[in-house]
Amino acid sequence: MPGDVIDHLAGSRVPAVKLRATSRGAVALDRLGPGRTVVYVYPLSGRPGVALPEGWDAIPGARGCTAEACGFRDHHGELAEAGAAAVYGLSAQDTEYQRELVERLHLPFEMLSDERLRLADALGLPTFETGGMRLHRRLTMVIRDGAIEHVFFPVDAPGEHAEEVLTWLRRRTS
């Protein structure tokens, strides 16, 4: 059952793991400060001219990372108005790879690199393997005051997911 793999997350404290950010700094998810932070976790973003792993389109939930990033970009202001103090994208890709994505898509938020899957291992986040790589399965965490308040999983329509998160936030601030 899909929800079973994340049932332990809601209410969990965020571990003291610092992740490299596309700003060339680091973000400690356990020290985000007050309020809600949206962290959408995705497996792998494509890059023009670079082939995706063989069989990528056949992996459930793998396709749609760019559409998801664009959704969070397009709704960024609304997410802030609805109470998101910050939005981050997170994958196992290195920061340089992610920086290209931020620039190409004009993302108004940072991407975080969990290249060694330290956060995934510390929290027991779901992962999968393909093409000799271990990658995150797509999910979104809403972190509030150092704890995971809510988890969206599975994310079946990545291009529409930011709207789903926005609706959830609005229900909590009205």
Side-chain angles (χ1 to χ4, degrees), residues 79-118:
L79 289 161
E81 288 172 9
V87 174
Y88 295 103
L90 184 150
S91 76
Q93 292 169 291
D94 67 53
T95 305
E96 290 304 316
Y97 194 100
Q98 292 175 327
R99 196 170 289 123
E100 183 279 333
L101 181 74
V102 168
E103 292 170 7
R104 178 169 39 93
L105 300 180
H106 307 285
L107 301 179
F109 50 85
E110 295 190 72
M111 302 300 255
L112 304 177
S113 175
D114 188 17
E115 196 172 353
R116 291 186 231 133
L117 285 94
R118 292 181 304 141

